[in-house]
Amino acid sequence: MSSVRGGDLSSRRAMPSSRCSFWRSVSSTVATISFCTVLFAGTSVKADFDVAGYVQQHYEDVCAVAPVAQEAATPGPLDAETMEEHGLEFVAMNVIYRHGSRTSKHAPTECFSGAFAESLTHFDCDVHSGFVLQWLNKSHPEGQEVMGDPPFVKTYHNGYLPSKQAEKRRCAPGQLVSAAADQLRTLAHGIKEKYFPSYTEVPHRNTTRMYSTDVDRTIASTYLLQAALFGNKISNEMVKLETRPLSEDAWSHNAPCDAAQEVLSSAEKVPEPEELGEPLRKKWKALFGREFSLKCHDQVVVANCTGHLPDTTLANGQSLLAQVVAANFIQEEAKYRRYREEWAMMVGPALLELQDFARSQADGSDNRSLGLWATHDTVIIPLLETLGVWDGRWPQYAEANILEIYKSTTPGSSKVWVRLLRRGKPLQVPSCKTQGPAGLCDLDELLPQNVVDLRDPVKRSARCTVVSAAATPTASSAAAASPNGVGHSSKASSKSAAWIQVYFFSFMLLYALGRLLSWQAWQWEGVLVDLDIHEAIGPPALRMKVLTPLALRLGMVSSSEPAKRRSWLRRRRLCRLQQAAVSARRCHGLSMPSVPSERAGCRRATSAKQETNTSLNISTTTTTTTRWDSR
């Protein structure tokens, strides 16, 4: 033993600075571990929110100015050499695209006031939707179809207010603007240049399936795209456009499913960064004279894409434009990520329809080798998220997601292979576990199992039926425990998840630190056992089911540790608490009390340790250390 180990109380008084430094080091270590635990557990310690970087990451090129964005979206099918090498033939394609640039869906006066609000009603709206009537002539023996001639075209005006320039045309909410024509014309050019040469028989109107949600802007976008693809030549032949009522259309994320609709309608908002809370609302109020709400995001994006946004909102990287876009995206991303299972129920039938149509294109049962599916950004996102390929980027105006269809040329093979592209880049769909030739996906494995199950009416009914709170969990609560989605969890489960994070990261950080400093060779040998982390923290159930087994697995404790050693550990912890009090008094210059009984108890604890180590064959390497519990 060293002189320090066997010294009296006076000898220990001569070293107050070293002892104080020692305890300060311990405190610093604990503080560092606590900080890391809080940081990794995702609590309130946060770095500054990078608004500009966030917007650049998620809203890059959302305006999709023609022709750059559209040209990049149509790379063309696999080259002829690759297809010949793998025995493939390109037979068809489907384009799932967002409508072109539009006006805002909300009245400008809800978010702005004055001249700026008025300017947002006078975009260049040269794209007008219209309609043609078709009916059966019952007097004709064969019930011949009759087409109305000429077609009606809708034109929008201001309200009848003579003092407010009634002659000015007012754009309707959500109406296409002139930029949409350029976007869709460029997209059509890319399809014709890159894909049509690979067809055995080039598509035309009668061999093209056109589907659109029953909304003016998607119908008008379909018209513009097909006109650019096939020309504007007038024909007496009726061009058919397929659609469904919005209330039950999966391409408008409205597939009939009461349980999913109920969960999504009551979805809770997620906490927003401090910069996007009250400071943003105050800035908006001061600048525009209206209360801010998330629907104002649409107004700002539209104004930016059409050049109407005031310069005052674009001052710097932390601009009002960026803050508004980020505030909205945080809520939207959380909605799609957390309720993934519910969204799969709402858009899943659209994916099933697309898969069935692709199969019929490949086997020739449907001669329409081109499919055009006009929809919305709020549908493209859950479609991609359901497939597990959404990267967080918001869909551009006129963005095209292309599903290429290939079939095998090998005799006797009926395999159908597909490739899904977004913005011109192939996507790796997780459900396609094994890739086919040239990295293609088997069409039968394209959709995840939770979507495939929707084909079973019994399973779909069970997942879409609303049950009371006292009954069995709904689809959303099942999703909370599912690996496919977070689901709609309660506050209690959220709190439990937070505690699990804290316990896990605390435990792993302490273990990593112990391994780094080689506890067995240092004077704090066995410190994790001394602190008895596996028995001293957390609810009993957590200690028994998580921490103790993990400590045993990592070799921190022995399952055969005798009662004598555990008794020694308890006495030694008591000694450490007593000596900590003595050390604290010394650090503050206070008188030192005589603690003979405590010192004797510590010596007994040390003796017990040595006996225990001998019986357990534990190598002791700290005979000359200056530990308080050995005195």
Side-chain angles (χ1 to χ4, degrees), residues 54 58-59 324-334 390 392 394:
Y54 196 84
H58 299 291
Y59 267 77
V324 171
V325 169
N328 178 77
F329 185 84
I330 287 173
Q331 300 300 329
E332 292 295 309
E333 181 182 36
W390 186 43
W394 200 266

Side-chain angles (χ1 to χ4, degrees), residues 32-324:
T32 301
I33 293 174
S34 300
F35 171 78
C36 293
T37 300
V38 171
L39 180 64
F40 283 101
T43 53
S44 59
V45 179
K46 297 179 181 178
D48 292 337
F49 183 73
D50 181 10
V51 176
Y54 196 84
V55 173
Q56 184 177 8
Q57 176 185 357
H58 299 291
Y59 267 77
E60 182 182 8
D61 299 330
V62 70
C63 296
V65 178
V68 178
Q70 293 75 33
E71 289 177 346
T74 52
L78 296 173
D79 59 84
E81 183 179 346
T82 301
M83 287 193 286
E84 183 178 358
E85 177 185 352
H86 295 282
L88 298 171
E89 178 188 0
F90 173 75
V91 294
M93 66 182 294
N94 289 275
V95 184
I96 303 96
Y97 62 101
R98 184 188 178 189
H99 56 75
S101 293
R102 57 166 174 77
T103 63
S104 177
K105 297 179 291 183
H106 309 288
T109 52
E110 295 182 32
C111 298
F112 309 103
S113 60
F116 180 55
E118 183 67 18
S119 71
L120 294 180
T121 66
H122 300 296
F123 293 108
D124 187 8
C125 301
D126 292 333
V127 182
H128 297 282
S129 61
F131 60 93
V132 176
L133 293 178
Q134 181 185 23
W135 64 94
L136 290 176
N137 184 358
K138 295 183 179 180
S139 61
H140 192 278
E142 299 179 359
Q144 184 177 357
E145 293 181 347
V146 178
M147 181 177 65
D149 188 23
F152 284 143
V153 178
K154 292 188 287 187
T155 301
Y156 296 93
H157 293 274
N158 284 327
Y160 184 68
L161 301 172
S163 62
K164 289 195 174 184
Q165 300 176 319
E167 72 281 0
K168 268 193 173 183
R169 183 180 68 247
R170 180 188 180 104
C171 297
Q175 183 182 350
L176 292 187
V177 297
S178 296
D182 293 332
Q183 293 166 339
L184 293 159
R185 189 182 302 116
T186 307
L187 176 59
H189 177 75
I191 295 173
K192 290 172 64 177
E193 290 292 318
K194 300 293 180 64
Y195 283 95
F196 278 16
S198 298
Y199 274 98
T200 303
E201 182 178 345
V202 176
H204 51 83
R205 280 192 178 92
N206 289 337
T207 58
T208 299
R209 181 177 184 178
M210 303 181 200
Y211 188 97
S212 169
T213 60
D214 196 14
V215 179
D216 280 353
R217 58 182 174 274
T218 50
I219 294 174
S221 295
T222 303
Y223 179 85
L224 290 172
L225 183 58
Q226 64 85 32
L229 282 171
F230 309 118
N232 290 320
K233 185 177 180 180
I234 299 176
S235 172
N236 292 329
E237 187 177 4
M238 176 70 72
V239 179
K240 293 186 178 181
L241 177 67
E242 301 176 30
T243 190
R244 290 184 178 89
L246 286 175
S247 59
E248 56 186 51
D249 190 1
W251 291 100
S252 187
H253 61 65
N254 282 326
C257 184
D258 295 339
Q261 289 176 346
E262 183 175 282
V263 171
L264 294 175
S265 63
S266 60
E268 297 179 358
K269 291 185 177 181
V270 298
E272 57 193 8
E274 183 179 350
E275 297 89 333
L276 305 180
E278 192 60 28
L280 172 58
R281 291 177 173 80
K282 289 181 178 179
K283 186 187 296 186
W284 186 275
K285 179 76 172 182
L287 188 60
F288 296 117
R290 292 284 189 274
E291 296 295 332
F292 173 75
S293 67
L294 289 179
K295 66 182 176 183
C296 297
H297 142 269
D298 186 63
Q299 301 274 10
V300 172
V301 171
V302 167
N304 180 55
C305 291
T306 54
H308 286 68
L309 201 63
D311 294 337
T312 52
T313 63
L314 301 169
N316 51 58
Q318 300 289 318
S319 67
L320 185 63
L321 166 65
Q323 290 177 334
V324 171

Side-chain angles (χ1 to χ4, degrees), residues 540-568:
L542 182 63
R543 294 201 306 268
M544 181 172 59
K545 294 181 180 180
V546 179
L547 296 179
T548 298
L550 186 57
L552 291 170
R553 177 66 64 87
L554 296 176
M556 290 182 174
V557 296
S558 171
S559 59
S560 60
E561 187 179 48
K564 189 173 182 179
R565 179 171 175 80
R566 291 199 296 269
S567 176
W568 169 78

Side-chain angles (χ1 to χ4, degrees), residues 367-428:
N367 70 340
R368 295 175 293 181
S369 58
L370 174 61
L372 304 178
W373 308 82
T375 184
H376 310 265
D377 52 349
T378 54
V379 176
I380 291 175
I381 291 176
L383 284 174
L384 295 174
E385 179 65 16
T386 298
L387 292 174
V389 293
W390 186 43
D391 58 3
R393 290 188 295 174
W394 200 266
Q396 303 169 319
Y397 287 122
E399 175 175 307
N401 297 271
I402 298 175
L403 184 70
E404 301 171 349
I405 317 296
Y406 301 84
K407 69 178 182 180
S408 176
T409 58
T410 304
S413 175
S414 59
K415 277 288 186 182
V416 180
W417 305 98
V418 296
R419 184 170 73 151
L420 180 63
L421 302 99
R422 185 188 184 201
R423 299 192 183 186
K425 297 181 180 179
L427 302 176
Q428 298 298 326

Side-chain angles (χ1 to χ4, degrees), residues 608-627:
K609 175 192 175 184
Q610 293 170 349
E611 294 173 9
T612 303
N613 286 348
T614 301
S615 64
L616 293 177
N617 263 342
I618 295 178
S619 176
T620 304
T621 61
T622 57
T623 57
T624 60
T625 55
T626 57
R627 291 169 52 166

Side-chain angles (χ1 to χ4, degrees), residues 337-630:
R337 302 283 197 199
R338 294 173 62 189
Y339 302 99
R340 181 179 178 182
E341 181 67 20
E342 283 73 22
W343 284 110
M345 301 294 293
M346 302 302 289
V347 302
L351 291 171
L352 294 173
E353 183 177 27
L354 183 64
Q355 185 185 47
D356 290 344
F357 181 61
R359 189 176 291 110
S360 64
Q361 287 176 305
D363 63 23
S365 58
D366 195 316
N367 70 340
R368 295 175 293 181
S369 58
L370 174 61
L372 304 178
W373 308 82
T375 184
H376 310 265
D377 52 349
T378 54
V379 176
I380 291 175
I381 291 176
L383 284 174
L384 295 174
E385 179 65 16
T386 298
L387 292 174
V389 293
W390 186 43
D391 58 3
R393 290 188 295 174
W394 200 266
Q396 303 169 319
Y397 287 122
E399 175 175 307
N401 297 271
I402 298 175
L403 184 70
E404 301 171 349
I405 317 296
Y406 301 84
K407 69 178 182 180
S408 176
T409 58
T410 304
S413 175
S414 59
K415 277 288 186 182
V416 180
W417 305 98
V418 296
R419 184 170 73 151
L420 180 63
L421 302 99
R422 185 188 184 201
R423 299 192 183 186
K425 297 181 180 179
L427 302 176
Q428 298 298 326
V429 182
S431 54
C432 292
K433 298 181 178 61
T434 56
Q435 294 183 342
L440 301 182
C441 170
D442 186 341
L443 178 61
D444 292 333
E445 297 182 4
L446 176 64
L447 306 184
Q449 190 60 44
N450 63 334
V451 176
V452 175
D453 288 343
L454 297 179
R455 294 189 184 276
D456 186 337
V458 176
K459 292 182 179 179
R460 175 173 175 80
S461 177
R463 291 165 64 183
C464 287
T465 301
V466 177
V467 295
S468 62
T472 55
T474 62
S476 62
S477 61
S482 167
N484 293 330
V486 177
H488 184 63
S489 58
S490 63
K491 293 183 178 179
S493 61
S494 299
K495 186 177 294 185
S496 299
W499 272 112
I500 290 174
Q501 286 183 336
V502 171
Y503 281 124
F504 176 76
F505 283 109
S506 299
F507 193 83
M508 294 307 296
L509 283 170
L510 288 172
Y511 176 68
L513 186 61
R515 297 290 291 179
L516 180 64
L517 298 179
S518 302
W519 296 114
Q520 296 298 327
W522 195 50
Q523 60 179 346
W524 282 85
E525 158 276 329
V527 67
L528 292 178
V529 179
D530 295 347
L531 295 176
D532 207 4
I533 287 178
H534 68 291
E535 293 181 3
I537 64 174
L542 182 63
R543 294 201 306 268
M544 181 172 59
K545 294 181 180 180
V546 179
L547 296 179
T548 298
L550 186 57
L552 291 170
R553 177 66 64 87
L554 296 176
M556 290 182 174
V557 296
S558 171
S559 59
S560 60
E561 187 179 48
K564 189 173 182 179
R565 179 171 175 80
R566 291 199 296 269
S567 176
W568 169 78
L569 286 173
R570 286 193 292 271
R571 292 199 302 274
R572 191 166 73 163
R573 282 197 296 272
L574 178 60
C575 288
R576 285 178 177 251
L577 292 175
Q578 294 168 343
Q579 296 298 343
V582 172
S583 178
R585 295 177 68 87
R586 180 180 299 106
C587 288
H588 293 282
L590 301 177
S591 61
M592 305 305 299
S594 177
V595 286
S597 61
E598 297 165 355
R599 292 173 59 193
C602 290
R603 291 195 187 98
R604 286 195 298 272
T606 304
S607 299
K609 175 192 175 184
Q610 293 170 349
E611 294 173 9
T612 303
N613 286 348
T614 301
S615 64
L616 293 177
N617 263 342
I618 295 178
S619 176
T620 304
T621 61
T622 57
T623 57
T624 60
T625 55
T626 57
R627 291 169 52 166
W628 282 98
D629 58 19
S630 62

